[in-house]
């Protein structure tokens, strides 16, 4: 039985314990040593806690398991048991909304993953899925902790399984802020978006030394798997930046455009850009001559709120544009051909890029706007042997499977299979519009005339004049601006200057769209 006389003694003991806890927490926050921190800084990198502070709203971070230590023995591990075990996990807010985050601490075991390290990440991922909130990983680790053997590999398996479980349920963002080699690279590849920082982050399955030993090729880490390589060549990286501060600012911006989970819509903000604003500049931006290039980015900037966009895969497959933006405050995903690159044709990489973007938008309730100016699929032996049929089918499947509001606008050319694939009315677009400069046909007039009127052209005294005559006749009969509208294949031909207003009104009407797919375990999309 406790008496009043005993209370001060217990209180003093409690105060002592609290002081001890504060000392331990201070040690946890300071990290393993000042020397380790300086080594991190010497590489031009921030510490894990500095990165979390930049990502989250000030003072919002709540840490999970800061006192966790590994239980491994052997190879000297039993004598080195730092707090956190090399990964900081927890949650906070970004623009006032909950976000879960884990950050590898390279100062501890080089950020390498062991059993306790992995268990912390597993627990965080489970909570993110249960809470229905985005998950951001700040990656800066040396892969599996070799001293812990297969237990470390099993830890990665648990992460991959949860990445897959969370796919399409909550947004998953991987931020590469250091090395990521071997099997560890598959977790970012399973997530929705990958950010990288030039010079400091690399991703590869086998490093330069292994490549040299096996193939004889000599290459640097950045040359093999740096930010620019993955942003321009492989398509693994969606966004690449010069420094960590800018990179994390852009992660915050991306989160502001995404819903918390697949059961919510993206946040709507009040826009000061009038919904009924005319864009007379569009009449001059897009030449009527289908052979003349122009910058589709300028068209998109005229249509969206304040010209602000966040382009995904900006430097990969540049013949197609995939970007997030707002129209009257509502988030939309825009897919558009880029006439300045390969005339805006669809090829293998463009098809993959757009298909992935359509799937992401559909998963997170983001309406899809498609702007067409496409001459067809890119011809060539390399494309056919590379599987353009299979890859083009990915884009077709993604559009056909999408249940979010879908609107397409034909600006100029829309030829052949590429017209069908890019969200035509026949594959389920909710609304289709066209500008008076549109040309919707099986192929261009020149090619069509050469096929249809081959004999007449060959037998003519002046074959060039006959060909020109037949091309003009084909255009007049089958390619005039109102041909598709007369047959109900587009809902209306609109004044380009009124496109923004028409689209915003259409999106408002489709806001309550409800569509269901047939009951099934899952589809079997082309791979």
């Amino acid at each position: 039985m406790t008496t009043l006389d005993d209370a001060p003694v217990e209180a003093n003991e409690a105060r002592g314990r609290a002081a001890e806890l504060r000392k331990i927490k201070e040690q946890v926050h300071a990290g393993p040593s000042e020397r380790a921190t300086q080594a991190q800084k010497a590489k031009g990198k921030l510490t894990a806690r500095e990165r979390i502070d930049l990502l989250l709203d000030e003072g919002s971070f709540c840490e999970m398991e800061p006192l966790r230590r590994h239980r491994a023995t052997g190879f000297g591990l039993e004598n080195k048991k730092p707090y956190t075990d090399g990964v900081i996990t927890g949650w906070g807010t970004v623009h006032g909304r909950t976000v879960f985050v884990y950050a590898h601490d390279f100062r501890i075991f080089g950020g390498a993953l062991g059993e306790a390290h992995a268990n912390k990440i597993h627990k965080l991922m489970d909570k993110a899925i249960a809470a229905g909130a985005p998950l951001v990983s700040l990656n800066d680790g040396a892969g599996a902790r070799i001293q812990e053997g297969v237990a470390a590999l099993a830890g990665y398996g648990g992460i991959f399984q949860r990445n897959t479980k969370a796919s399409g349920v909550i947004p998953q963002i991987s931020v590469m802020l250091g090395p990521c080699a071997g099997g560890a690279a598959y977790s970012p590849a399973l997530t929705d978006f990958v950010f990288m920082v030039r010079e400091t982050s690399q991703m590869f399955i086998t490093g330069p030394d292994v490549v040299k030993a096996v193939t004889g090729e000599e290459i640097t880490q950045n040359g093999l798997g740096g930010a620019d390589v993955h942003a321009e060549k492989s398509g693994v990286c969606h966004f690449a930046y010069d420094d960590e501060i800018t990179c994390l600012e852009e992660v915050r911006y991306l989160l502001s455009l995404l819903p918390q989970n697949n059961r919510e819509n993206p946040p709507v903000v009040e826009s000061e850009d009038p919904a009924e604003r005319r864009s007379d500049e569009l009449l001059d931006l897009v030449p009527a001559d289908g052979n003349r290039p122009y910058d589709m980015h300028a068209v998109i900037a005229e249509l969206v709120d304040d010209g602000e966009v966040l382009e995904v895969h900006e430097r990969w497959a540049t013949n197609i544009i995939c970007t997030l933006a707002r129209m009257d405050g509502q988030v939309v995903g825009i897919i558009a051909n880029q006439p300045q690159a390969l005339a805006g044709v669809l090829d293998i990489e463009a098809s993959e890029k757009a298909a992935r973007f359509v799937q992401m938008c559909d998963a997170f309730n983001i309406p899809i706007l498609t702007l067409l100016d496409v001459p067809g699929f890119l011809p060539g032996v390399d494309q056919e042997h590379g599987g353009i049929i299979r890859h083009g089918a990915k884009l077709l499947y993604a559009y056909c499977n999408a249940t979010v509001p879908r609107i397409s606008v034909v600006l100029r050319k829309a030829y052949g299979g590429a017209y069908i694939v890019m969200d035509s009315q026949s594959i389920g677009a909710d609304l289709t519009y066209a500008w008076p400069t549109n040309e919707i046909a099986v192929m261009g007039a020149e090619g069509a005339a050469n096929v249809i009127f081959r004999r007449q052209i060959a037998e003519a005294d002046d074959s060039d004049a006959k060909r020109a005559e037949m091309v003009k006749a084909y255009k007049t009969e089958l390619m005039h601006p109102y041909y598709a509208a007369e047959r109900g294949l587009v809902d209306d031909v609109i004044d380009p200057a009124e496109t923004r207003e028409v689209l915003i009104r259409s999106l408002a009407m489709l806001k309550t769209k409800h569509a269901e797919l047939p009951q099934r375990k899952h589809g079997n999309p082309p791979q």
Side-chain angles (χ1 to χ4, degrees), residues 317-320 338-347 350 373 375-376 378 383:
T318 55
N319 43 319
I320 200 159
Q338 172 57 297
Q340 281 193 336
L342 295 176
V345 297
L346 289 179
D347 60 3
D373 191 348
L378 182 64
Q383 289 291 308

Side-chain angles (χ1 to χ4, degrees), residues 45-378:
K45 301 196 294 184
L46 301 174
T47 66
R49 294 188 184 277
E50 289 173 335
R51 291 164 174 168
I52 290 173
D53 288 342
L54 285 171
L55 173 67
L56 300 178
D57 296 338
E58 186 176 355
S60 69
F61 183 55
C62 300
E63 188 170 356
M64 288 173 51
E65 298 194 349
L67 306 182
R68 188 71 178 262
R69 288 170 154 175
H70 71 76
R71 297 176 294 180
T73 58
F75 305 101
L77 284 178
E78 63 274 13
N79 300 320
K80 190 176 182 181
K81 295 187 176 183
Y83 291 115
T84 75
D85 200 47
V87 65
I88 301 167
T89 60
W91 73 92
T93 60
V94 173
H95 303 300
R97 298 191 301 157
T98 300
V99 171
F100 288 80
V101 59
Y102 69 85
H104 297 129
D105 191 340
F106 197 84
R107 299 173 300 171
I108 298 175
F109 298 126
L113 181 139
E115 183 180 23
H117 183 122
N119 286 341
K120 288 181 65 175
I121 296 174
H122 295 169
K123 182 183 287 188
L124 183 83
M125 295 178 78
D126 289 340
K127 291 194 184 312
I129 296 169
L135 173 69
V136 179
S137 62
L138 305 180
N139 299 271
D140 185 8
R145 197 173 299 169
I146 299 172
Q147 300 94 320
E148 295 194 32
V150 72
L153 297 179
Y156 274 121
I159 293 173
F160 302 157
Q161 190 269 340
R162 288 167 174 83
N163 283 139
T164 305
K165 182 180 178 182
S167 181
V169 178
I170 58 172
Q172 299 181 84
I173 300 173
S174 298
V175 188
M176 316 310 296
L177 301 168
C180 185
Y186 285 113
S187 177
L190 288 168
T191 60
D192 300 302
F193 299 97
V194 175
F195 288 72
M196 294 186 74
V197 176
R198 294 184 181 90
E199 301 303 322
T200 59
S201 61
Q202 303 89 27
M203 296 174 66
F204 37 70
I205 299 300
T206 54
D209 293 340
V210 176
V211 169
K212 182 179 179 180
V214 174
T215 69
E217 299 172 287
E218 292 191 20
I219 193 167
T220 64
Q221 287 195 346
N222 282 319
L224 181 63
D228 289 328
V229 168
H230 288 309
E232 296 176 11
K233 296 182 179 180
S234 73
V236 171
C237 170
H238 299 78
F239 306 97
Y241 299 99
D242 291 330
D243 59 86
E244 295 188 21
I245 295 174
T246 304
C247 180
L248 293 170
E249 286 176 352
E250 291 300 293
V251 174
R252 286 175 58 87
Y253 181 48
L254 173 60
L255 286 166
S256 75
L257 298 171
L258 300 176
Q260 290 292 89
N261 54 64
N262 64 338
R263 301 183 301 278
E264 298 182 6
N265 291 324
V268 178
V269 301
E270 188 173 344
S271 174
E272 296 182 359
D273 194 347
E276 66 278 5
R277 169 174 58 79
R278 284 181 59 86
S279 299
D280 291 304
E281 292 83 355
L282 292 174
L283 297 168
D284 300 317
L285 277 175
V286 180
D289 181 356
N291 294 320
R292 289 179 58 192
Y294 61 93
D295 188 358
M296 184 65 81
H297 289 106
V299 175
I300 295 171
E302 278 296 316
L303 296 177
V304 303
D305 292 353
D306 303 310
E308 292 183 0
V309 300
L310 180 62
E311 187 171 351
V312 179
H313 275 143
E314 181 180 1
R315 296 160 60 198
W316 181 59
T318 55
N319 43 319
I320 200 159
I321 297 169
C322 297
T323 191
L324 293 169
R326 281 194 167 92
M327 300 188 73
D328 198 29
Q330 178 180 350
V331 178
V332 294
I334 300 174
I335 298 101
N337 305 107
Q338 172 57 297
Q340 281 193 336
L342 295 176
V345 297
L346 289 179
D347 60 3
I348 289 173
E349 291 185 345
S351 299
E352 287 191 341
K353 171 179 170 178
R356 175 77 169 171
F357 186 74
V358 169
Q359 289 172 173
M360 184 280 298
C361 289
D362 187 48
F364 295 117
N365 307 313
I366 299 172
I368 298 170
L369 169 61
T370 305
L371 305 177
L372 286 86
D373 191 348
V374 59
F377 283 94
L378 182 64

